[in-house]
């Protein structure tokens, strides 16, 4: 998959995302459920939040001896889902500690450009994810701070309201097989 993506001049994630779409269509199942038998813990260098356990290590369970692109795509899906479930674990820990309920999540950066990553997080968190209009949200954040420091806006909140906007929103699956799948995991 990696060599094929390189040869085609496309990102590996885009190729694997496309292959997952094809597998889900061929099997006539919702895409997220393709990883129902594969489980990944992504803690290669320990867990930072919410467990704060530096000794945790990554693991992959449920893989067989096959080593083709389909198997790689499914392990990739399971890894993306595991990151989403860890994000959900962080949100749940924050709420259990008495922090206000989170009603939506704003995402930016490179992974916000990966539709599988974004939809997996929306589904696992059961929250809408907002993606900014500007692809360079980090640079825009610096501009917001500069505009405030330079006196163009009275506060960071005012500058952000004037200079930023939501480009699109990805909503979670509210019901059906995909919602049930993520509720079980």
């Amino acid at each position: 998959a990696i060599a094929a993506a390189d040869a085609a001049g496309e990102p590996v994630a885009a190729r694997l995302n496309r292959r997952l779409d094809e597998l889900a269509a061929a099997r006539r199942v919702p895409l997220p459920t393709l990883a129902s038998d594969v489980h990944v813990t992504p803690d290669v260098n320990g867990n930072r939040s919410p467990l704060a356990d530096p000794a945790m290590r990554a693991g992959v369970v449920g893989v067989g001896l096959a080593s083709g692109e389909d198997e790689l795509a499914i392990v990739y899906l399971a890894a993306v889902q595991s990151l989403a479930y860890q994000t959900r674990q962080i949100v749940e820990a924050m709420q259990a500690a008495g922090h206000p309920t989170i009603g939506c999540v704003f995402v930016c950066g490179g992974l916000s450009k990966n539709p599988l990553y974004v939809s997996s997080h929306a589904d696992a968190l059961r929250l809408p994810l907002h993606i900014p209009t500007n692809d360079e949200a980090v640079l825009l954040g610096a501009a917001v701070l500069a505009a405030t420091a330079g006196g163009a806006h009275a506060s960071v909140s005012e500058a952000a309201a004037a200079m930023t906007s939501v480009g699109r929103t990805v909503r979670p699956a509210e019901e059906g097989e995909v919602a049930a799948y993520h509720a079980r995991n």
Side-chain angles (χ1 to χ4, degrees):
I2 295 169
D6 286 345
E10 71 178 330
V12 174
R15 182 175 181 89
L16 294 174
N17 288 351
R18 188 175 65 254
R19 186 64 194 136
L20 289 167
D21 287 336
E22 294 165 357
L23 287 171
R27 296 179 187 182
R28 294 188 169 115
V29 298
L31 188 148
T33 65
L34 290 170
S36 62
D37 294 328
V38 178
H39 306 282
V40 172
T41 55
D43 303 299
V44 175
N45 286 322
N47 178 278
R48 285 155 189 76
S49 184
L51 304 177
D53 183 353
M56 286 183 74
R57 292 296 175 254
V60 179
V61 177
V63 296
L65 294 176
S67 60
E69 186 172 346
D70 293 355
E71 291 76 24
L72 177 61
I74 290 171
V75 171
Y76 159 72
L77 172 61
V80 168
Q81 289 175 347
S82 72
L83 294 171
Y85 297 142
Q86 279 196 334
T87 303
R88 181 175 70 195
Q89 192 177 27
I90 292 167
V91 169
E92 289 169 349
M94 290 172 60
Q95 291 175 340
H99 293 278
T101 299
I102 295 173
C104 65
V105 175
F106 289 83
V107 295
C108 64
L111 288 173
S112 69
K113 296 173 179 72
N114 183 328
L116 177 66
Y117 185 87
V118 173
S119 66
S120 293
H121 276 72
D123 290 338
L125 293 169
R126 295 181 288 279
L127 293 170
L129 270 63
H130 300 300
I131 301 168
T133 302
N134 189 311
D135 282 345
E136 300 299 336
V138 175
L139 294 175
L140 183 56
V144 165
L145 295 175
T148 304
H153 295 283
S155 68
V156 172
S157 295
E158 183 183 304
M163 298 171 66
T164 64
S165 63
V166 172
R168 71 184 173 95
T169 298
V170 176
R171 301 202 178 279
E174 297 289 338
E175 53 189 50
E177 195 172 347
V178 171
Y181 172 78
H182 287 295
R184 286 191 304 272
N185 291 302

